[in-house]
Amino acid sequence: MLFDLKGKVAVVTGARKGLGFGIAEGLAEAGADIAGVGPVVMPELEKSVTSLGRKFLHVEADLTSQERIPAIVEETVKKLGGIDILVNNAGIIRRADMLDFTEKDWDDVISINLKTVFFLSQAVARQMKEQGRGGKIISIASMLSFQGGVRVPSYTSSKSGVMGLTKLMGNELAKFNIQVNAIAPGYMATDNTEALQKDPVRSAEILARIPANRWGTPDDLKGAAIFLASQASNYVTGYTIAVDGGWLSR
């Protein structure tokens, strides 16, 4: 029963496809009802979640700004009865040499990857505190929470910030029985990495660095997400777990 999420409500941002889809599906498989947050409808996720006998709610929101954050909480509570789990998955990346990087590309990435993560977590934590039954906040970090990378200054800064915020929020929210952790995915086979996967040189270089010798998949994040969303992780907080096939240990 440690990993049972029956009766729980999970809010997952950026859940329409890729890693967010996999995580939302995994939480539903463990028993949670799902509120998928994003700017467009999510028929495939809705079908997957409801086929498991769980409830699904699409909450329309453009997370590049923080305007809809109160509504995300309000709509989820009204229609699903509360919030027990938040997964901050939505994010973007912009690539350019440091010397050429624009202020717009900096602001766009920091806004959704860091500012929205903080203020949505704040709003959900307030709701969890009011409910009085604790909760779980999980953010999607990155290997670049640990490493510098190249040509992604705002992304690296945002994901380093996610790791720091995870520690801070874990410290401050522990007294309310709210655990805050993060998952740092490795190289995942998603739309965002399609060009890399199709580049025989770069793909070979990447695989040579991964001890598991394969790209990760959204399904690979399900176990970590379920663990961090369940009572199995009640004494784990402020930590970032790498799910990277061994990339960081190489």
Side-chain angles (χ1 to χ4, degrees), residues 2 8-9 22 32 41 47 56 63 65 77-78 84-85 100 129 131 154 156 160 169 181 190 194 214 218 232 237:
L2 278 177
K8 304 294 186 182
V9 174
V41 294
K47 180 179 178 181
F56 178 81
L63 294 172
S65 79
V77 171
K78 181 179 179 180
D84 302 286
I85 302 154
D100 301 321
K129 177 186 174 184
Q131 291 170 179
S154 55
T156 298
S160 296
M169 293 191 295
N181 293 286
T190 64
E194 186 175 0
R214 68 173 178 86
T237 198

Side-chain angles (χ1 to χ4, degrees), residues 195-207:
L196 288 176
Q197 295 174 65
K198 291 181 176 179
D199 184 328
V201 175
R202 285 291 288 123
S203 182
E205 290 173 347
I206 290 166
L207 289 174

Side-chain angles (χ1 to χ4, degrees), residues 47-67:
K47 180 179 178 181
S48 176
V49 170
T50 55
S51 71
L52 294 164
R54 315 303 175 203
K55 296 177 183 176
F56 178 81
L57 170 69
H58 172 241
V59 181
E60 185 278 323
D62 178 358
L63 294 172
T64 57
S65 79
Q66 294 73 47
E67 182 179 351

